[in-house]
Amino acid sequence: DAKTTQPTSMDCAEGRAANLPCNHSTISGNEYVYWYRQIHSQGPQYIIHGLKNNETNEMASLIITEDRKSSTLILPHATLRDTAVYYCIVRVGNYGGSQGNLIFGKGTKLSVKP
Amino acid sequence: NAGVTQTPKFQVLKTGQSMTLQCAQDMNHEYMSWYRQDPGMGLRLIHYSVGAGITDQGEVPNGYNVSRSTTEDFPLRLLSAAPSQTSVYFCASSQNLQGEYYGYTFGSGTRLTVV
């Protein structure tokens, strides 16, 4: 799997947009970008994923650059409950032995402040 | 809709004891996996299964065994617990679809301490 690089930590003011960057310069053509988050000691929660087009769901938006070497997760109106560790992961979309597994890095610790 | 259920939530073991961490899902997911998370670290994959009767090793399989006799259950066995296995263990499941992928569902974790 391609490796990702994320900032260790970020702060965001409550009500403002949180923009979390991720670099994945060695991503392959068949690898998707996935975002998960882990609130305190809970199990990780799936947020969103994409291949090359921008994606939006009820939780967040995912912006992928045209060359696919980086992406940004956007939480449009951050709340205190969005304080968590955010993981950016790349992997192939189809299951196929070990290629189907999610490999987690250390992520970005986002602190939303009042 | 229980999702992924892990039991127990907390466990203290003595060095050398054995135990089984239980994981069950009610979503008919074919793919299941076990991760461990040490303080300040990301999750590391222990074992995974792409369907009943099929298991394989992840990044850190030593000291752990798994089996998958049914689609619903994926237990993780510690044969002889060691202090290095003190960690939080997460089970996850996902549909096994051709093409697009819809995200893992994680359990709430088992906090294991080996003394």
Side-chain angles (χ1 to χ4, degrees), chain B residues 13-68:
Chain B
L13 283 181
K14 293 182 179 179
T15 298
Q17 285 186 318
S18 63
M19 80 160 294
T20 299
L21 281 62
Q22 301 292 344
C23 176
Q25 52 92 8
D26 61 357
M27 298 171 284
N28 201 33
H29 284 173
E30 293 189 32
Y31 181 91
M32 297 184 75
S33 55
W34 277 100
Y35 290 84
R36 62 176 286 175
Q37 185 172 33
D38 300 322
M41 302 288 289
L43 284 76
R44 291 185 292 170
L45 181 67
I46 304 172
H47 285 285
Y48 66 97
S49 169
V50 298
I54 305 170
T55 64
D56 207 343
Q57 297 180 351
E59 303 170 79
V60 288
N62 291 341
Y64 307 95
N65 282 349
V66 292
S67 60
R68 184 97 181 269

Side-chain angles (χ1 to χ4, degrees), chain B residues 64-77:
Chain B
Y64 307 95
N65 282 349
V66 292
S67 60
R68 184 97 181 269
S69 56
T70 67
T71 299
E72 294 79 18
D73 300 299
F74 191 43
L76 178 72
R77 297 184 185 86

